[in-house]
Amino acid sequence: MHNRVKLELEEAVDWNSMYPESEVYSGIHNMHTGLPNGSFLPSDGSMTYMNNGVPGPVNSIQNNIGSLGSMTQSMGASLPPTAPSSAYPVNYCHGESGFQRDPRTYRRNYSHAKPPYSYISLITMAIKQSHNKMMTLNEIYQWIVDLFPYYRQNQQRWQNSIRHSLSFNDCFIKVPRSPEKPGKGSYWTLHPDSGNMFENGCYLRRQKRFRCEKTRSGDGERKTSKTVDEQSKRLREAAYNELSPTPKTGVKEDSTVPGIPQPTSASPDGLSPVSEVGSSSQLLYPLSHSEGYLGLSAEDAQLKQDTLSGRHPFSITQLMSVEQDSSYSSKMDMCLTNDHLPQYPNYTSDYNHAVMKNGQDTQSSLDVNYYANMYSRPILSSL
DNA sequence: TCTTGTTTACAGCCAG
DNA sequence: CTGGCTGTAAACAAGA
């Protein structure tokens, strides 16, 4: 997967026919949905990703997160009316979902197109959105499956790739389970210094591969357990120590590990200022393609301005910064426990399900306090 | 037995 | 053209 949209559709797509000029992204927000006009969201709630190069789930992330508050303002959009909670979760994409499509607006369902994200991107997104900024392999699987129907098929194939990516890439760190939380598989988190992998806003392909120096040997590529450098070793030990009240033998309890930035924030809650998050533009599509995305005319200067400034609604900066809002989880909790749960029949996706499910799973499977802030600060601040 | 994790190999694509 | 990144397949080991 590279700086292009890799579409794996069953049939060729005439993109031109899919996007009337009137729907070409203008950078002007749709005031009803809070999404850009160009998001081409069908009004029937069918899956939308690929229509604009941005996965529907991410649109829904946008919606979902935006509905939580802080996104709203930046989007300059009103929120859809609250729908009854029975609308959740909505299987946004499957033909068998029972959705009654409006023939006037129905164009095509891209639910099973391959998302334009590399596995590394998916893993990164999954981990970043997780409550504790780390996930087990299975949770990553589940997050992906919940979000992208495409991955409900050929699971052996892509899951192997996921495992390969986790092991192969330095940006992912395996964190052993604590003795108090036995189970299968370790947790995976992001290397504290890996935050700029998707700098310049491309979640399709990293600008530069994150590499942990000294980790490489031989062909200079492989991350091998035999050649794990001291830093990585310490990283893991430190992570373990943060996870476990009983430090690993031989590891100093208060070890200040090189490579693991220590909290420096003077914030009352100990969290780093979120503002750092927005320091770089993180888009979900490549601006490097001057001709636009998917053949669309994306030369709109305003769009670029917005995206580069982090104001673009699809900007990862936006998406992540809101998630990282310290109030986010509490808002999510609120959403889970009252009728204010944002339900948008037209836009609800499995993301809602995924996030909440994940949140619930995470909260149930992890001691939130126990794992609190594990790596989150350095990761977030480096985004 | 199944899942998880590591490693090797190779092919395709893209940027420089 | 070359090197880097990514996706895929496969073999293998270890652990639950």
Side-chain angles (χ1 to χ4, degrees), chain A residues 8-21:
Chain A
E8 295 190 1
L9 300 174
E10 296 299 322
E11 55 190 284
V13 176
D14 178 1
W15 292 105
N16 291 330
S17 67
M18 306 305 297
Y19 308 121
E21 286 185 11

Side-chain angles (χ1 to χ4, degrees), chain A residues 339-356:
Chain A
D339 291 333
H340 295 88
L341 180 65
Q343 305 295 342
Y344 313 138
N346 289 348
Y347 312 111
T348 301
S349 78
D350 278 358
Y351 176 79
N352 291 327
H353 187 199
V355 166
M356 297 178 185

